Amino acid sequence: EGNPGSDVSCLGGNLVITAPAVKGSQDPNVAIVSVGADGVFTTSFSFIHPKLERDKKVLQWSCDESYCARLLPDGNLVILAGGDVGGPVLVELKMDKPICGFEFASRGPKGNFKARIAVFVADSRDDLQRVIGPAEVTIFELVTSGASGPLMAQERAKAPLASGQMADLMWNYSGTALLAHSQTEVDESGQSYYGGSRLVLVSNDGEFVKDLTAAEEVNGGTGGSVQAVQWSPVR
């Protein structure tokens, strides 16, 4: 089931190759290929990720590749040294529900933090697939207590989404604001056969949170489904 895939880290130092997991096999289906200064490619780390969904991100590096976030099969997200993904866990981002998606900010830090990352957890549903708890986006900053202190994750912002089983997390150019475009397989309002969606804008410090789809509904619109959204790539 599914197709092989690949992804490249921000500075091109690491290539992630994925393939569907084979039932009963102990062969790794995720491999990290590192590119050395001499241009030689070597497999630096590989592991098994069962039930790997197509296009699902399980690894991402920060913009300077100092850190790597790895999504575990149980839905926990751990932060590792960017050059030692098979090494010890530096910090774990703890959530009440399994993490479904994550995204490092696209720009380097301006301040006393090392990196900024957003995580998404899906809504909660009953046996009839009715939403009984909202989805949520949380923004963390990775910080240290001093020059050589341990890495810590500080929660900076949290934004609820009325519903959402998956989401595209999109940082703006400067890494100061995030668009969370969540989607559901079923539109509970009955307006769309293909499911519903929400679009929330949140600042990195949590001072500004706005559900843009709710604003449309308040102003007399029908809400409906957000088909596509994109930041300016340069400002």
Side-chain angles (χ1 to χ4, degrees), residues 107-151:
R107 290 289 296 272
K110 291 184 178 180
N112 59 349
F113 64 98
K114 304 295 183 179
R116 184 175 287 151
I117 188 170
V119 302
F120 171 80
V121 297
D123 57 34
S124 301
R125 297 180 176 243
D126 62 16
D127 293 339
L128 297 178
Q129 291 301 300
R130 294 174 299 196
V131 176
I132 56 176
E136 204 167 60
V137 173
T138 306
I139 295 175
F140 293 94
E141 286 183 354
L142 304 181
V143 300
T144 57
S145 56
S148 58
L151 192 68

Side-chain angles (χ1 to χ4, degrees), residues 52-71:
L52 181 63
E53 301 172 25
R54 183 177 182 179
D55 298 329
K56 185 177 182 66
K57 180 187 299 181
V58 295
L59 292 164
Q60 189 192 18
W61 281 259
S62 58
C63 60
D64 62 358
E65 299 194 8
S66 294
Y67 301 102
C68 179
R70 177 184 172 187
L71 184 62

